[in-house]
Amino acid sequence: MSTALVPPAPPAASAVFGDRLGLAEAYAGLLCGVGVERGIVGPREGERVWERHLLNCAILAPGLPRDARVTDVGSGGGLPGIVLALARPDVRVTLVDSMARRVAFLNEVVAELALDSSIAVVRARAEELRRSDDVVTARAVADPVRLAGWSRGLLRPGGELQVLCGEAVAQDAVAVRAELTKRGWRSVSIEPVALEGINVSPVLRATRP
Ligand SMILES: C[S@@+](CC[C@H](N)C(=O)[O-])C[C@H]1O[C@@H](n2cnc3c(N)ncnc32)[C@H](O)[C@@H]1O
């Protein structure tokens, strides 16, 4: 796979990825190179690959339980799933996407970075898949209520949905919380999460009934 010139990793990336920073840099290179060429990410995403993609997704990493089994729904180019597998070598991540060319890209990244012991790739519509994982993650896939519906079939009882939200969801937090609570989800919160030296994003968390 070809890579492209990648902006240098900002200082916060060392703290997030530790001795896997080299792998994170290689992944950033694949996103900026073949990822842009094939339209997996937009043409202008290369210049903001660290802040908008790798580090934005990394804010979920500290909140994952030890040795968690994680399903990343609508993973696209591997966001946040690949970032989480890189930042947390103890977790096992399944990347799920319905689109063949995105799944092909994900398989190539996993092979290229030799991540096959910690990442599996599945082509499926999330709502048709059945799993029993500890955590479901998602970013920019569907509205939270829909995602929660899909996640019932992916999480074990007591497992947690963790969604990196846009500002629109954050502004609608009261209504989203009320709707998920009505549907039986527990401990529903939408709170800004920050990681030292990294941007802040609203994260929705909800526990499966
Ligand atoms: C806007 S992209 C976001 C990709 C990535 N999560 C990110 O933040 O860059 C949405 C992705 O969700 C996938 N997708 C949409 N509906 C899906 C479904 N029902 N099941 C699985 N994947 C789905 C699309 O194929 C696409 O790759």
Side-chain angles (χ1 to χ4, degrees), residues 125-140:
R125 297 187 63 77
E127 59 272 40
E128 292 167 3
L129 200 59
R130 292 293 170 268
R131 301 181 60 81
S132 186
D133 282 348
D134 303 305
V135 176
V136 164
T137 57
R139 185 182 80 156

Side-chain angles (χ1 to χ4, degrees), residues 48-81:
R48 47 194 183 184
V49 69
W50 287 102
E51 285 75 10
R52 192 182 165 105
H53 296 295
L54 276 80
L55 294 181
N56 175 252
C57 290
I59 65 173
L60 295 182
L64 298 175
R66 179 123 210 104
D67 298 326
R69 288 160 300 138
V70 178
T71 292
D72 184 35
V73 164
S75 195
L79 299 159

Side-chain angles (χ1 to χ4, degrees), residues 1 17 19-28 30-31 54 70 75 77-95 105-121:
M1 277 174 111
F17 296 107
D19 61 7
R20 299 185 119 201
L21 180 61
L23 279 177
E25 287 171 328
Y27 173 48
L30 293 169
L31 275 177
L54 276 80
V70 178
S75 195
L79 299 159
I82 291 180
V83 172
L84 298 177
L86 290 173
R88 286 287 305 271
D90 58 301
V91 306
R92 181 96 179 81
V93 180
T94 301
L95 309 174
F105 174 80
L106 292 172
N107 276 318
E108 289 173 52
V109 173
V110 169
E112 185 102 354
L113 303 185
L115 290 171
D116 41 311
S117 61
S118 58
I119 298 182
V121 181

Side-chain angles (χ1 to χ4, degrees), residues 74-77 79-80 96-99 102 124-127 139-141 150:
S75 195
L79 299 159
V96 177
D97 204 284
S98 52
M99 199 179 275
R102 295 210 159 105
R125 297 187 63 77
E127 59 272 40
R139 185 182 80 156
V141 181
W150 299 353

